[in-house]
Amino acid sequence: MGDYENVLLVKPKVFVYRIPPIGTSGHKAADWNLDAPAWTGRMRLVAIGKRLEMRLEDGETCDLYAKCPIDAHPGNAVEAVSDSSRYFVIRLMNDNGQQAFVGCGFQERGDAFDFNVTLQDHFRYIERSAELEKQDLSAGPSLDLAFKEGQTISINIGKKNKNAVPRPRPAAAAAPGGLVPLLPPPPGAGSTIRNSRPIGGPAAPASSSSPFPTPPASSNNSGNLLDF
């Protein structure tokens, strides 16, 4: 199957001129007798895969008059003249490989600008495509993560691990305003300690308002040191 054709640009009216041999200062459109073109018709830029052709066709019958294969831009196939932006020297070629250089002019400067920009865009696209192909070749084989036929996986959800270490509870958060909450008092603080009388023993000393227990009495029988 051959490459499909893609029409990039169509201009309904272009002029073709016979040109003299190139001079020391290059091609000049002023030397072409611009008032008497050798042919007038339609121009189409057609891309066939990576190739590009400029086709000159009859404006009414669309019959092919001549074609200009363009293999690079800038290059020998299409050259700008030195004294105008509307005229170019193009290289016509038939199926037998015979070549002829002729002058080609556009009716408006905007048409010539479109022609030049289309040539640049086409060959930039070809250059980028070649770079992407090189990157794909150097990248190597891609990693295949797809499941093979009959391959399965198992997932455990909701089962508690008996050997897991329990996580410590987080510390209590501070009270609003940055204040630390007060801890409750220890049990028995502020209450009076009462000594009960043991069964069958001596009476317990009177209760004291001090929260500390009463020290045991001295074994000396000489009396209390605080008695005068």
Side-chain angles (χ1 to χ4, degrees):
M1 183 177 180
D3 295 327
Y4 67 92
E5 295 184 356
N6 184 20
V7 179
L8 304 182
L9 181 68
V10 177
K11 292 300 176 182
K13 194 172 186 178
V14 296
F15 309 98
V16 174
Y17 304 90
R18 294 185 177 90
I19 59 176
I22 187 172
T24 55
S25 58
H27 291 286
K28 291 184 177 181
D31 301 334
W32 294 357
N33 192 10
L34 299 178
D35 295 333
W39 180 86
T40 303
R42 183 180 71 170
M43 186 277 300
R44 289 196 307 155
L45 272 180
V46 181
I48 310 98
K50 295 182 179 181
R51 295 182 296 114
L52 184 65
E53 285 184 356
M54 176 183 182
R55 298 178 181 177
L56 302 177
E57 302 170 342
D58 187 274
E60 296 180 358
T61 63
C62 299
D63 293 337
L64 181 65
Y65 169 73
K67 61 183 178 180
C68 169
I70 305 173
D71 51 7
H73 183 74
N76 295 329
V78 178
E79 298 181 53
V81 298
S82 60
D83 59 344
S84 177
S85 61
R86 291 168 49 197
Y87 298 93
F88 302 85
V89 175
I90 62 175
R91 182 187 60 191
L92 302 180
M93 183 181 298
N94 61 14
D95 295 337
N96 297 326
Q98 296 175 335
Q99 301 179 4
F101 289 90
V102 298
C104 180
F106 293 89
Q107 193 171 13
E108 302 292 339
R109 294 185 184 276
D111 295 340
F113 176 80
D114 294 342
F115 173 70
N116 200 25
V117 170
T118 304
L119 291 177
Q120 294 176 3
D121 290 344
H122 172 76
F123 287 102
R124 285 175 183 170
Y125 168 77
I126 297 299
E127 184 178 352
R128 287 196 299 266
S129 299
E131 292 177 355
L132 291 176
E133 290 178 359
K134 292 180 180 179
Q135 292 178 2
D136 293 340
L137 293 176
S138 61
S142 58
L143 183 61
D144 185 11
L145 299 179
F147 285 102
K148 305 300 185 293
E149 184 177 358
Q151 184 179 6
T152 60
I153 61 174
S154 60
I155 301 176
N156 296 327
I157 300 176
K159 292 184 177 180
K160 187 175 181 181
N161 188 0
K162 297 180 179 180
N163 298 326
V165 179
R167 297 183 180 179
R169 294 184 178 181
L179 300 177
V180 179
L182 298 177
L183 297 178
S191 62
T192 303
I193 299 177
R194 302 180 180 271
N195 295 327
S196 59
R197 179 180 178 180
I199 300 176
S207 62
S208 173
S209 61
S210 172
F212 302 101
T214 304
S218 175
S219 59
N220 192 354
N221 296 327
S222 60
N224 194 345
L225 296 178
L226 295 180
D227 293 338
F228 294 98

